[in-house]
Amino acid sequence: MSNDDARSYEGRCHCGAVRFRFRSEEITEARRCNCSICVRKGAVVSARYYQPHEFELVQGREALCTYRFGDEVVNHYFCKHCGIYPFHDGAGDYEGRFRVNLGCVDELDVLALPVKMIDGRSY
Ligand SMILES: [Zn+2]
């Protein structure tokens, strides 16, 4: 990614307790995943993971709860007030890589974006 093309996006959970910001090339596509948790959330997520220098939790660390399952390599965050999943990140060897729930980004018409599937069920 060329940093010249990067811009800033802002996202928040439903109640607004959790706010975050990330730098990305213009978002023109999205992903959904068929793993056991994503299929239940139904979330439309970013096409790639963002690195720590591209992602900033602006507010709401104290509102975030973490859910882990299986091999526990992913922190599935959700807001303890409104229950919304704003993003997740890796744990252990994958620490600090963030995938974002694009539905939390107000300026995106998320359901109008072309979506590709991630075959997370097979991982
Ligand atoms: Zn919330």
Side-chain angles (χ1 to χ4, degrees):
M1 167 182 125
S2 150
N3 243 350
D4 298 340
D5 299 333
R7 45 156 299 185
S8 183
Y9 287 91
E10 296 190 2
R12 61 179 182 90
C13 66
H14 192 265
C15 73
V18 177
R19 293 178 186 272
F20 59 96
R21 183 183 299 142
F22 60 103
R23 285 192 69 75
S24 174
E25 60 285 345
E26 186 172 0
I27 294 171
T28 56
E29 58 174 358
R31 295 288 183 276
R32 298 187 85 162
C33 173
N34 64 5
C35 82
S36 62
I37 189 163
C38 288
V39 77
R40 283 169 170 77
K41 289 175 183 167
V44 177
V45 299
S46 55
R48 68 173 178 92
Y49 278 89
Y50 295 99
Q51 302 299 318
H53 70 274
E54 298 173 306
F55 181 91
E56 180 189 1
L57 178 62
V58 176
Q59 135 183 345
R61 187 173 302 278
E62 72 292 343
L64 284 173
C65 294
T66 309
Y67 175 66
R68 288 185 181 178
F69 68 96
D71 49 14
E72 304 207 334
V73 295
V74 177
N75 297 309
H76 299 276
Y77 297 109
F78 60 97
C79 172
K80 70 180 179 185
H81 303 292
C82 66
I84 293 299
Y85 146 70
F87 52 82
H88 66 265
D89 73 356
D93 291 347
Y94 301 94
E95 193 172 342
R97 296 165 72 239
F98 294 85
R99 185 160 243 156
V100 170
N101 177 357
L102 294 182
C104 291
V105 180
D106 281 329
E107 68 182 289
L108 290 176
D109 186 0
V110 66
L111 296 180
L113 293 172
V115 172
K116 290 181 190 156
M117 288 301 302
I118 300 168
D119 188 14
R121 186 181 296 169
S122 302
Y123 291 173

